[in-house]
Amino acid sequence: MNAQRSVELTHDELVRETLLALRSLTDSLDRMHGVLKDAMGMNGTDLAALRMMVIREERGESVSPHDVARHLHISTASTTKLLDRLTTAGFVERHLHPHDRRARVVVLTKSLRQTFGQHFGTRMSPIREVVEQYDDRELGIIERFLSELSERIEGVE
């Protein structure tokens, strides 16, 4: 939708157009993740776990096996199998928790970062090109919108 057209639409119509655009975006992201999953030779759950770990790492948060299970809504047995696959593939390592020696944390490997960079980096380039078209004020609004949307979606169980 172009800026000229948005002037002609009512608020309700703009809300509908925004929701349709979000649906289209999520469909595009689903397809991109499907291609990435295939390129990396893994299943969707494994890729979702890695994406979650990358996001948490970028926030400076540690990830426990329990965090993975809760995020993916899978059992501890399934989580153990998933982490075994990712460890065997060289994508993660399990370490003792730095503050609680009884617990474990899951850490991404350099190999995963390189592999993710190879496959995901080329797909991020066009996204970055679009983002860079917006000025700082617009980016602030977009970031706030996406963050609030993510928080609300996470809050729905």
Side-chain angles (χ1 to χ4, degrees), residues 21-35 127:
L22 280 169
R23 183 172 28 184
S24 179
L25 173 63
T26 58
D27 183 59
S28 294
L29 290 171
D30 284 347
R31 283 183 277 121
M32 181 181 76
H33 291 135
V35 169
I127 295 170

Side-chain angles (χ1 to χ4, degrees), residues 7-29:
V7 174
E8 302 166 7
L9 298 178
T10 67
H11 180 76
D12 287 343
E13 291 168 330
L14 284 169
V15 167
R16 183 178 185 286
E17 291 293 320
T18 301
L19 293 173
L20 290 173
L22 280 169
R23 183 172 28 184
S24 179
L25 173 63
T26 58
D27 183 59
S28 294
L29 290 171

Side-chain angles (χ1 to χ4, degrees), residues 97-140:
H97 191 284
H99 306 294
D100 180 358
R101 302 307 250 172
R102 297 167 296 167
R104 297 248 177 211
V105 292
V106 183
V107 179
L108 300 172
T109 64
K110 185 177 181 177
S111 173
L112 177 271
R113 286 184 192 82
Q114 290 171 338
T115 303
F116 236 49
Q118 287 172 335
H119 296 290
F120 203 63
T122 58
R123 287 161 183 84
M124 285 302 295
S125 187
I127 295 170
R128 184 177 190 89
E129 289 171 9
V130 170
V131 171
E132 287 178 345
Q133 295 177 38
Y134 294 88
D135 65 36
D136 292 351
R137 186 189 65 76
E138 292 169 320
L139 288 173

